[in-house]
Amino acid sequence: MTKPLASVTAANFDVEKIRADFPILHQQVNGQPLVYLDNAATTQKPNAVIDAISDYYRNDNSNVHRGAHALADRATVKFETAREKVARFLNAPAAKQVIWTRGTTESINLVAASWGKANLQSGDRILVSAMEHHSNIVPWQLIAQTTGAKVEPIPVDANGSIDMRAFEAMLDAQVKMVAVGHVSNAMGTINPIEKIITLSHAIGARVLIDGAQAVSHWAVDVQQLNCDFYVFSAHKLFGPTGLGVLYGKEDLLNAMAPYQGGGEMIETVSFAGTTFNQLPYKFEAGTPDIAGVIGFGAAIDYLNSIDRTAAAAHEQALLNYAEEKARATAGMKLVGTATDKTSVMSFLLEGAHPADVGVLLDKQGVAVRTGNHCAQPIMDQFGIPGTVRASFSFYNTFAEVDRLFVAIEKAKTFLL
Ligand SMILES: Cc1ncc(COP(=O)(O)O)c(C=O)c1O
């Protein structure tokens, strides 16, 4: 059994201190202490985020950008400060390149609809990897239908890695967009996006990176990556649900038409013709999720206050420990065995349906996700209905991994 990186995790990373910041973790589920291993679906929220949201509603609730009073000023300052925090978090050149959306899904729909309408035509090709989440497939299919472009899958091998040779062979002048996940939610594969971006730019294609599963694990530098668009959801980064980010290169965002019309996104409105606001407001029609944005600002502050390198090492150690145990467990098969992985362990128990395994784990207080993880094409390729997915965050412990395996052994006695 691989030894956990005890020196990193114990000396530099005090997991019990971190756990104290997350109130939801300290509860019983089905008579057992909760073991929350569904972090790829959504991460839990620290007190700092919960308090910031409640503080906003208690003290500052007001609409942003338009009120002529103190509350509106306070709300606006907090709202825009959060945007600046996210810009710094991503090393974006300017805060106006951070657009608030409802989540990764809406960010991709925005780019597909707005950039796609202006830049795609019949015969153009959009490449997405075969392991993408549905939200990085379907928006492209929708715009392909209206423009005559085609969506083509980049092959993925049996380990769950992008076949880079096949990818290179697909690249030609008709490829206008390459949209790939930084990390696969179904298997945890870390994709070689630096190489994908360089190769795609060499043939003149634009690149959108779905960072939904990456941002919670390490620092992302959009300038260093040189991606054209980078998108993610706040709720997978210890922030609130229903909020997301679209980062884009300024010239591309400026050239894109608004995605939705309404208040905030206009400069002047008349029946003779309407003019649009500047970035980022051009893409933010209507009253935004003010409380969510402020809560998300608190999540970024929280992340900045912890040792993220030690946190990432701790997560990696949890994954190594869990996967070693899985390999030693009779009847357990890992799905997704790429060399570079984040802390996602997808697996099957021979002879058992993933949904049944999930129910039996839940009965023992262990929360995992089961199903196709909104990544049906890769499940179809593997010829499976789905997997059981345990996904670890920095607040998980080795004792919780042990609890998972005790629960798996018990489930086996019922199912096999
Ligand atoms: C890789 C990936 N992309 C996109 C999404 C969609 O995120 P949201 O539902 O927050 O828009 C998810 C959520 O599971 C994801 O894991």
Side-chain angles (χ1 to χ4, degrees), residues 187 333-336 346-348 353-354 371-373 375-388:
M187 299 174 290
K333 182 173 175 277
L334 292 175
V335 178
S346 248
F347 64 92
L348 293 168
H353 195 283
N372 64 31
H373 314 296
Q376 218 173 310
I378 196 66
M379 297 296 145
D380 289 349
Q381 177 182 322
F382 291 158
I384 55 179
T387 70
V388 184

Side-chain angles (χ1 to χ4, degrees), residues 40-41 102-106 108 133 135-136 181 183-185 210 212-213 233 235-236 243 369 373 389:
R102 282 175 49 241
T104 308
T105 304
E106 191 177 59
I108 299 173
H133 189 280
S135 63
N136 201 21
V183 168
S184 155
N185 66 306
D210 172 353
Q213 295 293 339
S233 302
H235 72 95
K236 293 182 196 284
L243 177 73
R369 167 111 185 241
H373 314 296
R389 183 186 70 186

